PDB file of all heavy atoms in Angstrom:
ATOM      1  N   GLU A  52       4.206 -27.805 -32.493  1.00 77.00           N
ATOM      2  CA  GLU A  52       4.798 -29.093 -32.643  1.00 77.00           C
ATOM      3  C   GLU A  52       5.881 -29.280 -31.671  1.00 77.00           C
ATOM      4  O   GLU A  52       6.616 -28.341 -31.360  1.00 77.00           O
ATOM      5  CB  GLU A  52       5.364 -29.301 -34.122  1.00 77.00           C
ATOM      6  CG  GLU A  52       4.269 -29.328 -35.194  1.00 77.00           C
ATOM      7  CD  GLU A  52       4.871 -29.472 -36.542  1.00 77.00           C
ATOM      8  OE1 GLU A  52       6.133 -29.728 -36.593  1.00 77.00           O
ATOM      9  OE2 GLU A  52       4.173 -29.364 -37.503  1.00 77.00           O
ATOM     10  N   VAL A  53       6.035 -30.466 -31.121  1.00 79.00           N
ATOM     11  CA  VAL A  53       7.167 -30.726 -30.215  1.00 79.00           C
ATOM     12  C   VAL A  53       7.937 -31.977 -30.652  1.00 79.00           C
ATOM     13  O   VAL A  53       7.442 -33.129 -30.615  1.00 79.00           O
ATOM     14  CB  VAL A  53       6.642 -30.980 -28.727  1.00 79.00           C
ATOM     15  CG1 VAL A  53       7.675 -31.329 -27.787  1.00 79.00           C
ATOM     16  CG2 VAL A  53       5.813 -29.794 -28.284  1.00 79.00           C
ATOM     17  N   PRO A  54       9.175 -31.777 -31.141  1.00 79.00           N
ATOM     18  CA  PRO A  54       9.971 -32.971 -31.519  1.00 79.00           C
ATOM     19  C   PRO A  54      10.447 -33.672 -30.259  1.00 79.00           C
ATOM     20  O   PRO A  54      10.877 -33.004 -29.325  1.00 79.00           O
ATOM     21  CB  PRO A  54      11.087 -32.372 -32.303  1.00 79.00           C
ATOM     22  CG  PRO A  54      11.176 -30.976 -31.881  1.00 79.00           C
ATOM     23  CD  PRO A  54       9.838 -30.532 -31.458  1.00 79.00           C
ATOM     24  N   VAL A  55      10.379 -35.007 -30.262  1.00 79.00           N
ATOM     25  CA  VAL A  55      10.844 -35.750 -29.122  1.00 79.00           C
ATOM     26  C   VAL A  55      11.826 -36.784 -29.592  1.00 79.00           C
ATOM     27  O   VAL A  55      11.605 -37.523 -30.554  1.00 79.00           O
ATOM     28  CB  VAL A  55       9.637 -36.498 -28.447  1.00 79.00           C
ATOM     29  CG1 VAL A  55      10.154 -37.357 -27.362  1.00 79.00           C
ATOM     30  CG2 VAL A  55       8.602 -35.491 -28.002  1.00 79.00           C
ATOM     31  N   ALA A  56      13.003 -36.790 -28.958  1.00 81.00           N
ATOM     32  CA  ALA A  56      14.054 -37.762 -29.309  1.00 81.00           C
ATOM     33  C   ALA A  56      14.459 -38.573 -28.071  1.00 81.00           C
ATOM     34  O   ALA A  56      14.597 -37.992 -26.989  1.00 81.00           O
ATOM     35  CB  ALA A  56      15.312 -37.084 -29.856  1.00 81.00           C
ATOM     36  N   LEU A  57      14.507 -39.840 -28.234  1.00 80.00           N
ATOM     37  CA  LEU A  57      14.827 -40.735 -27.181  1.00 80.00           C
ATOM     38  C   LEU A  57      16.000 -41.581 -27.634  1.00 80.00           C
ATOM     39  O   LEU A  57      15.781 -42.428 -28.547  1.00 80.00           O
ATOM     40  CB  LEU A  57      13.608 -41.562 -26.648  1.00 80.00           C
ATOM     41  CG  LEU A  57      13.891 -42.625 -25.565  1.00 80.00           C
ATOM     42  CD1 LEU A  57      14.329 -41.950 -24.289  1.00 80.00           C
ATOM     43  CD2 LEU A  57      12.653 -43.483 -25.391  1.00 80.00           C
ATOM     44  N   THR A  58      17.098 -41.577 -26.964  1.00 84.00           N
ATOM     45  CA  THR A  58      18.208 -42.346 -27.341  1.00 84.00           C
ATOM     46  C   THR A  58      18.238 -43.613 -26.556  1.00 84.00           C
ATOM     47  O   THR A  58      18.239 -43.610 -25.270  1.00 84.00           O
ATOM     48  CB  THR A  58      19.579 -41.626 -27.151  1.00 84.00           C
ATOM     49  OG1 THR A  58      19.554 -40.388 -27.892  1.00 84.00           O
ATOM     50  CG2 THR A  58      20.771 -42.436 -27.566  1.00 84.00           C
ATOM     51  N   ILE A  59      18.250 -44.735 -27.156  1.00 85.00           N
ATOM     52  CA  ILE A  59      18.237 -46.063 -26.529  1.00 85.00           C
ATOM     53  C   ILE A  59      19.522 -46.752 -26.874  1.00 85.00           C
ATOM     54  O   ILE A  59      19.789 -46.983 -28.064  1.00 85.00           O
ATOM     55  CB  ILE A  59      16.975 -46.922 -26.921  1.00 85.00           C
ATOM     56  CG1 ILE A  59      15.713 -46.204 -26.534  1.00 85.00           C
ATOM     57  CG2 ILE A  59      17.063 -48.264 -26.209  1.00 85.00           C
ATOM     58  CD1 ILE A  59      14.448 -46.829 -26.943  1.00 85.00           C
ATOM     59  N   PRO A  60      20.322 -47.067 -25.918  1.00 88.00           N
ATOM     60  CA  PRO A  60      21.616 -47.727 -26.226  1.00 88.00           C
ATOM     61  C   PRO A  60      21.407 -49.053 -26.972  1.00 88.00           C
ATOM     62  O   PRO A  60      20.455 -49.769 -26.739  1.00 88.00           O
ATOM     63  CB  PRO A  60      22.249 -47.991 -24.848  1.00 88.00           C
ATOM     64  CG  PRO A  60      21.533 -47.097 -23.899  1.00 88.00           C
ATOM     65  CD  PRO A  60      20.152 -46.908 -24.494  1.00 88.00           C
ATOM     66  N   ASN A  61      22.347 -49.423 -27.843  1.00 87.00           N
ATOM     67  CA  ASN A  61      22.336 -50.689 -28.578  1.00 87.00           C
ATOM     68  C   ASN A  61      22.849 -51.745 -27.651  1.00 87.00           C
ATOM     69  O   ASN A  61      24.051 -52.071 -27.658  1.00 87.00           O
ATOM     70  CB  ASN A  61      23.152 -50.570 -29.846  1.00 87.00           C
ATOM     71  CG  ASN A  61      23.075 -51.756 -30.709  1.00 87.00           C
ATOM     72  OD1 ASN A  61      22.145 -52.579 -30.502  1.00 87.00           O
ATOM     73  ND2 ASN A  61      23.919 -51.822 -31.663  1.00 87.00           N
ATOM     74  N   SER A  62      21.951 -52.331 -26.870  1.00 89.00           N
ATOM     75  CA  SER A  62      22.336 -53.337 -25.885  1.00 89.00           C
ATOM     76  C   SER A  62      21.363 -54.502 -25.920  1.00 89.00           C
ATOM     77  O   SER A  62      20.173 -54.271 -25.947  1.00 89.00           O
ATOM     78  CB  SER A  62      22.410 -52.711 -24.492  1.00 89.00           C
ATOM     79  OG  SER A  62      22.611 -53.735 -23.511  1.00 89.00           O
ATOM     80  N   VAL A  63      21.841 -55.724 -25.965  1.00 88.00           N
ATOM     81  CA  VAL A  63      21.023 -56.930 -25.928  1.00 88.00           C
ATOM     82  C   VAL A  63      20.152 -56.951 -24.643  1.00 88.00           C
ATOM     83  O   VAL A  63      19.065 -57.400 -24.646  1.00 88.00           O
ATOM     84  CB  VAL A  63      21.890 -58.183 -26.129  1.00 88.00           C
ATOM     85  CG1 VAL A  63      20.991 -59.414 -25.975  1.00 88.00           C
ATOM     86  CG2 VAL A  63      22.564 -58.158 -27.443  1.00 88.00           C
ATOM     87  N   ALA A  64      20.682 -56.425 -23.590  1.00 91.00           N
ATOM     88  CA  ALA A  64      20.024 -56.438 -22.277  1.00 91.00           C
ATOM     89  C   ALA A  64      18.656 -55.611 -22.383  1.00 91.00           C
ATOM     90  O   ALA A  64      17.742 -55.913 -21.583  1.00 91.00           O
ATOM     91  CB  ALA A  64      20.839 -55.828 -21.188  1.00 91.00           C
ATOM     92  N   LEU A  65      18.577 -54.709 -23.356  1.00 90.00           N
ATOM     93  CA  LEU A  65      17.368 -53.924 -23.478  1.00 90.00           C
ATOM     94  C   LEU A  65      16.340 -54.499 -24.490  1.00 90.00           C
ATOM     95  O   LEU A  65      15.275 -53.946 -24.660  1.00 90.00           O
ATOM     96  CB  LEU A  65      17.691 -52.466 -23.907  1.00 90.00           C
ATOM     97  CG  LEU A  65      18.535 -51.712 -22.859  1.00 90.00           C
ATOM     98  CD1 LEU A  65      18.890 -50.321 -23.436  1.00 90.00           C
ATOM     99  CD2 LEU A  65      17.863 -51.594 -21.578  1.00 90.00           C
ATOM    100  N   SER A  66      16.656 -55.662 -25.053  1.00 90.00           N
ATOM    101  CA  SER A  66      15.789 -56.259 -26.013  1.00 90.00           C
ATOM    102  C   SER A  66      14.470 -56.698 -25.350  1.00 90.00           C
ATOM    103  O   SER A  66      14.493 -57.297 -24.293  1.00 90.00           O
ATOM    104  CB  SER A  66      16.467 -57.535 -26.609  1.00 90.00           C
ATOM    105  OG  SER A  66      15.650 -58.182 -27.573  1.00 90.00           O
ATOM    106  N   GLY A  67      13.404 -56.285 -25.914  1.00 91.00           N
ATOM    107  CA  GLY A  67      12.049 -56.589 -25.323  1.00 91.00           C
ATOM    108  C   GLY A  67      11.601 -55.451 -24.424  1.00 91.00           C
ATOM    109  O   GLY A  67      10.406 -55.539 -23.998  1.00 91.00           O
ATOM    110  N   LEU A  68      12.411 -54.567 -24.071  1.00 89.00           N
ATOM    111  CA  LEU A  68      12.022 -53.327 -23.235  1.00 89.00           C
ATOM    112  C   LEU A  68      10.859 -52.664 -23.935  1.00 89.00           C
ATOM    113  O   LEU A  68      10.859 -52.292 -25.079  1.00 89.00           O
ATOM    114  CB  LEU A  68      13.180 -52.447 -22.965  1.00 89.00           C
ATOM    115  CG  LEU A  68      12.853 -51.122 -22.244  1.00 89.00           C
ATOM    116  CD1 LEU A  68      12.574 -51.464 -20.730  1.00 89.00           C
ATOM    117  CD2 LEU A  68      14.021 -50.153 -22.439  1.00 89.00           C
ATOM    118  N   VAL A  69       9.803 -52.306 -23.141  1.00 89.00           N
ATOM    119  CA  VAL A  69       8.685 -51.557 -23.658  1.00 89.00           C
ATOM    120  C   VAL A  69       8.696 -50.181 -22.983  1.00 89.00           C
ATOM    121  O   VAL A  69       8.837 -50.045 -21.761  1.00 89.00           O
ATOM    122  CB  VAL A  69       7.313 -52.245 -23.355  1.00 89.00           C
ATOM    123  CG1 VAL A  69       6.172 -51.402 -23.833  1.00 89.00           C
ATOM    124  CG2 VAL A  69       7.323 -53.636 -23.975  1.00 89.00           C
TER     125      VAL A  69
END
Side-chain angles (χ1 to χ4, degrees):
E52 296 180 4
V53 178
V55 177
L57 175 65
T58 303
I59 300 174
N61 187 12
S62 172
V63 175
L65 298 176
S66 182
L68 173 72
V69 178

